[in-house]
Amino acid sequence: MPRNHKHQMMRRLQDNWSVKIARAMQLEGKSPYFRAMQSANSRRVDVDGAPRLMLGSNNYLGLADHPLVIEGARKALERFGAGSTGSRLLNGTIELHLELEAEIADWYGTEAAIVFTTGHQANLGTIGTLAGRGDVIVTDADAHASLHDAAKFTDAQAVRFRHNDVDSLAEKLATAAKRGRPALVAVDGVYSMEGDLAPVDRLAEICLEHNALLLVDEAHSVGVFGPNLTGVTEMYGVADRTPLRTGTFSKSIATVGGFAAGSHDLIDAVRTSGRSFLFTAAGVPAAVGGALAAVRLIRSAEGQERAERCLANARFLRDSLVSLGIPLADPAIGPDGAEIVTPIVPVMVGESLRAFATWHELYQRGVFAALAHYPAVPLDHALLRLAVTAEHTFADLEEAAEAVHAVLELDTERQLVA
């Protein structure tokens, strides 16, 4: 590489807006990123030497430190060791992988399932296998980065439709059909930043009308929604019209890994051709054993109770924020027309530097929220992403709401003075 080209690349990295703002906040001690936890992920976590109310994780069912999940991980570690040192294709498959795949297929009511090392790889491997040159991949504009990455990493044409806009999707699919190009549509069940739902029933109708394959990523809805807690697709009653569903173990299932569930033909294609499945080391036994224990727990009466508690907590937090005069986006609307509050409760802040300052003030008051700013959300649409778990108490959430209110009022006073 010519010397000046290397310098251009390095200068571009140094001028990256996200890098600049992250470094500035790091120097001021206000960065929300890479904070080291000193205790297990629970409702309160030790960070920077002090306990803080955790509202920044995706531990929706509170299983990350559940004794049964820890025991499943411990037994797997003791039996199979620390790691496989190989891919699933070669020496990486252990009995627990097969048990977990059978458990997920039974849970989702599909012919087969496949387990990946990460949720990101689940989407890359699945979409990368099914779509290629001459195809079109149509993703919701607000979908997971892994869905957009998967579309970019294939030889297919990547197209986005306006968030949750079924007319926009229909238009994109009609264009693909006119050109004789097969289409795969990829959406989230619950969107990770603002916690809104995909209208999966209407999306399934549009895909059926245009003969497109629908994939729903249930990452943020598995374990929380649906009669069997498999996600939003089941809640909308269109699992039989959704050929592919993917998900992750790193949220409600509380370990790490990912999966895809579908027909034998679809899953076998991914198993034999999915590059992110074939060319990476298998998930460590402890993660697989913990995931298997978590899935079985979710399928039990305790899982149902935890899901109900999680959603009750989410509604309580949202109602508490609204009662304090904090403006929030409208709640999602379910298939029966009723309002649904998902475990993700976003508080809009706006400009990124203000959002960093707001996050830090909240952190100083003992509440650990997640901060989303550009490019995770549009420029000047930064937000505090509050996420509840089944383990939170109403007292915890009342404390959090009051802290958010105090911080936003302080921010308003500063803006008036400025």
Side-chain angles (χ1 to χ4, degrees):
M1 178 186 297
R3 189 168 182 269
N4 62 324
H5 288 179
K6 182 177 73 173
H7 288 174
Q8 287 174 8
M9 290 178 67
M10 293 303 297
R11 193 179 306 115
R12 188 165 64 245
L13 291 175
Q14 292 165 358
D15 289 341
N16 181 285
W17 187 86
S18 295
V19 172
K20 282 185 172 181
I21 193 170
R23 283 181 174 172
M25 292 300 104
Q26 192 74 42
L27 288 172
E28 293 182 22
K30 296 180 179 180
S31 174
Y33 306 123
F34 303 105
R35 296 274 177 171
M37 310 293 132
Q38 288 132 9
S39 63
N41 192 347
S42 188
R43 51 185 278 268
R44 291 188 186 270
V45 178
D46 291 338
V47 194
D48 289 340
R52 300 179 198 273
L53 184 59
M54 175 52 74
L55 284 171
S57 82
N58 300 313
N59 185 26
Y60 301 133
L61 299 184
L63 299 184
D65 62 346
H66 193 287
L68 290 180
V69 179
I70 292 174
E71 178 70 2
R74 184 187 63 78
K75 286 182 176 179
L77 176 67
E78 292 178 349
R79 181 181 176 192
F80 295 102
S84 65
T85 72
S87 74
R88 288 286 308 276
L89 176 69
L90 301 174
N91 67 296
T93 295
I94 60 176
E95 287 183 356
L96 290 179
H97 283 114
L98 305 182
E99 287 185 47
L100 182 54
E101 288 171 345
E103 188 81 27
I104 291 171
D106 183 67
W107 186 24
Y108 275 71
T110 57
E111 293 178 346
I114 183 172
V115 166
F116 292 78
T117 305
T118 69
H120 190 274
Q121 289 172 319
N123 283 330
L124 262 63
T126 302
I127 292 175
T129 299
L130 301 178
R133 190 176 303 278
D135 300 332
V136 177
I137 302 172
V138 189
T139 51
D140 186 290
D142 286 3
H144 269 130
S146 59
L147 293 178
H148 293 303
D149 288 348
K152 287 190 294 186
F153 292 163
T154 70
D155 291 327
Q157 179 187 3
V159 176
R160 298 186 182 191
F161 69 97
R162 289 187 297 275
H163 177 52
N164 275 351
D165 188 329
V166 294
D167 292 332
S168 176
L169 173 61
E171 178 188 332
K172 305 298 183 186
L173 292 180
T175 299
K178 285 178 184 177
R179 296 174 179 172
R181 306 181 73 177
L184 182 151
V185 176
V187 301
D188 296 355
V190 170
Y191 286 91
S192 60
M193 290 296 102
E194 297 190 18
D196 51 334
L197 303 176
V200 183
D201 52 348
R202 296 166 67 199
L203 298 176
E205 288 178 11
I206 295 295
C207 288
L208 186 63
E209 180 183 335
H210 292 87
N211 198 30
L213 185 68
L214 176 61
L215 180 152
V216 179
D217 182 351
E218 302 278 15
H220 290 275
S221 52
V222 62
V224 180
F225 292 109
N228 296 304
L229 305 181
T230 65
V232 165
T233 306
E234 182 190 23
M235 182 181 74
Y236 276 97
V238 292
D240 59 334
R241 286 183 279 154
T242 308
L244 264 175
R245 298 164 75 187
T246 60
T248 182
F249 302 144
S250 61
K251 298 173 179 34
S252 289
I253 298 175
T255 62
V256 67
F259 67 91
S263 70
H264 280 305
D265 288 343
L266 289 173
I267 298 304
D268 282 348
V270 177
R271 194 182 304 279
T272 55
S273 303
R275 293 178 65 82
S276 68
F277 176 77
L278 295 172
F279 300 113
T280 193
V284 298
V288 180
L292 180 58
V295 169
R296 287 173 173 166
L297 190 153
I298 291 169
R299 298 186 74 185
S300 72
E302 182 180 344
Q304 291 284 346
E305 188 272 334
R306 283 178 174 270
E308 291 169 6
R309 244 194 302 151
C310 175
L311 293 178
N313 282 344
R315 181 168 291 278
F316 182 86
L317 176 60
R318 188 183 193 283
D319 289 348
S320 298
L321 292 167
V322 170
S323 71
L324 291 170
I326 298 172
L328 301 177
D330 292 335
I333 303 298
D336 59 357
E339 290 185 352
I340 293 179
V341 180
T342 71
I344 302 165
V345 182
V347 176
M348 307 305 170
V349 179
E351 195 270 328
S352 290
L353 289 176
R354 285 180 60 191
F356 273 91
T358 301
W359 178 90
H360 185 255
E361 183 66 32
L362 191 61
Y363 182 75
Q364 293 294 92
R365 293 170 184 256
V367 179
F368 193 120
L371 172 64
H373 71 96
Y374 180 82
V377 294
L379 193 63
D380 294 333
H381 284 75
L383 57 87
L384 295 173
R385 180 188 181 277
L386 308 179
V388 305
T389 79
E391 292 293 279
H392 285 122
T393 66
F394 283 0
D396 291 335
L397 301 172
E398 192 169 30
E399 173 190 335
E402 290 172 354
V404 171
H405 178 251
V407 166
L408 292 180
E409 278 202 329
L410 180 62
D411 178 66
T412 300
E413 291 171 5
R414 286 172 178 161
Q415 295 302 313
L416 290 174
V417 170

